[in-house]
Amino acid sequence: MPVGRIALITGANKGIGYEIARQMGERGYVVLVGARDEVRGKQAVESLSAGGVEAVRLRIDVTDETSVVDAAAEIERRYGRLDVLVNNAGIAGGSTGAPSTVSAADLRQVYETNVLGVVSVTNAMLPLLRRAEAARIVNMSSHLGSLTLNSAPDSPFAGLNMVAYQSSKTALNAVTVAYAKELRDTPIKVNAASPGVVATDLNHHRGNRTPAQGAAIAVRLATLDDTGPSGACLAEEGVVPW
Ligand code: NAP
């Protein structure tokens, strides 16, 4: 029996990633639930399956090269291709405060997941994405990565000191543009998505949006038709300035 379209979402065991998985499953995708923890991944798959989604657990820690390579080999063995990659796994990092009080180690920890993890997963999955008819890559960014918004005199983020997280999302935007450029002569589209301020574990549930609302823009970018953009950062309300 031919297998339907395949979508891998990293960090899909909870929060926005879980909701992206659910909404992609509702659209008929076979959802590979990327999770670094076996038990949390299994629970998410059980709950998605109970809701009628075709969900498969895939162990992947985006900071562990071996697990990334193993995950790609597993997808290759099972399906031979990948139609959608959502690089959703992300961390806020523990440290806040003025940049002068933040250590290089703090930055390194956040960059390992939010930037280097995305590059490592994308590079491992690209051979599989190239085999799909018209693959889509979505990187979960944030308005907090926008240099324009951060540097505006009336910045909405004045007083917010999360330099590791904020700059990691700026770097992720740059990485998104670079991949879009490399892949511009292929059917693959690469975009960044900003979900808005979503109540999840990442921000101790201080967001005003639900994970389902936050997931919607990622799902839209993951299911773009061939007239859609590539190399953009989009939120529900439109383009997020760089
Ligand atoms: P969340 O509820 O904390 O979920 C984060 C997910 O990432 C979890 O599944 C977590 O797995 C996973 N993860 C973390 N490090 C990982 C690693 N090394 N390998 C694999 N998985 C890893 O956060 P969220 O709010 O849904 O965030 C999802 C994405 O949206 C992140 O990229 C975040 O930066 C972005 N975002 C969120 C907001 C917001 O307001 N919440 C706003 C803008 C952007 P464990 O359960 O194992 O920890």
Side-chain angles (χ1 to χ4, degrees):
M1 203 174 85
V3 178
R5 281 170 298 173
I6 318 293
L8 166 62
I9 298 102
T10 63
N13 56 284
K14 67 177 181 179
I16 300 169
Y18 177 88
E19 269 300 319
I20 296 170
R22 198 182 61 73
Q23 293 180 23
M24 292 298 288
E26 274 181 358
R27 281 161 181 73
Y29 285 75
V30 175
V31 173
L32 307 183
V33 177
R36 60 180 161 176
D37 181 87
E38 299 255 347
V39 175
R40 291 196 286 274
K42 185 166 177 279
Q43 284 166 347
V45 165
E46 281 170 4
S47 148
L48 287 163
S49 303
V53 166
E54 193 171 344
V56 176
R57 182 165 55 98
L58 191 71
R59 204 193 89 72
I60 182 164
D61 179 335
V62 303
T63 63
D64 173 358
E65 194 69 35
T66 305
S67 94
V68 171
V69 169
D70 287 353
E74 176 73 10
I75 299 172
E76 156 91 68
R77 194 180 61 73
R78 275 178 175 246
Y79 309 107
R81 68 168 207 285
L82 183 63
D83 297 276
V84 168
L85 167 63
V86 183
N87 286 306
N88 166 78
I91 59 170
S95 76
T96 52
S100 57
T101 69
V102 173
S103 70
D106 293 331
L107 254 77
R108 193 171 294 120
Q109 189 213 359
V110 175
Y111 276 51
E112 282 289 345
T113 304
N114 295 5
V115 187
L116 309 185
V118 172
V119 172
S120 152
V121 173
T122 303
N123 287 350
M125 300 301 162
L126 256 180
L128 298 164
L129 292 160
R130 285 182 189 275
R131 280 193 220 142
E133 208 178 298
R136 303 290 178 249
I137 301 172
V138 182
N139 295 332
M140 288 306 283
S141 187
S142 169
H143 281 76
L144 293 180
S146 165
L147 293 175
T148 304
L149 297 177
N150 277 303
S151 59
D154 56 349
S155 169
F157 316 131
L160 188 70
N161 269 314
M162 293 177 69
V163 66
Y165 182 78
Q166 288 170 282
S167 64
S168 77
K169 295 299 185 182
T170 310
L172 179 60
N173 288 345
V175 164
T176 303
V177 170
Y179 276 110
K181 194 172 153 200
E182 180 180 349
L183 296 168
R184 70 183 156 200
D185 295 328
T186 76
I188 303 175
K189 291 184 187 297
V190 190
N191 289 292
S194 177
V197 188
V198 178
T200 65
D201 287 350
L202 183 110
N203 54 19
H204 310 287
H205 295 264
R206 282 199 281 262
N208 59 357
R209 287 163 64 77
T210 64
Q213 290 172 321
I217 184 64
V219 172
R220 181 144 73 82
L221 293 174
T223 56
L224 283 176
D225 66 27
D226 59 10
T227 63
S230 189
C233 182
L234 288 142
E236 201 164 288
E237 68 276 11
V239 172
V240 180
W242 296 124

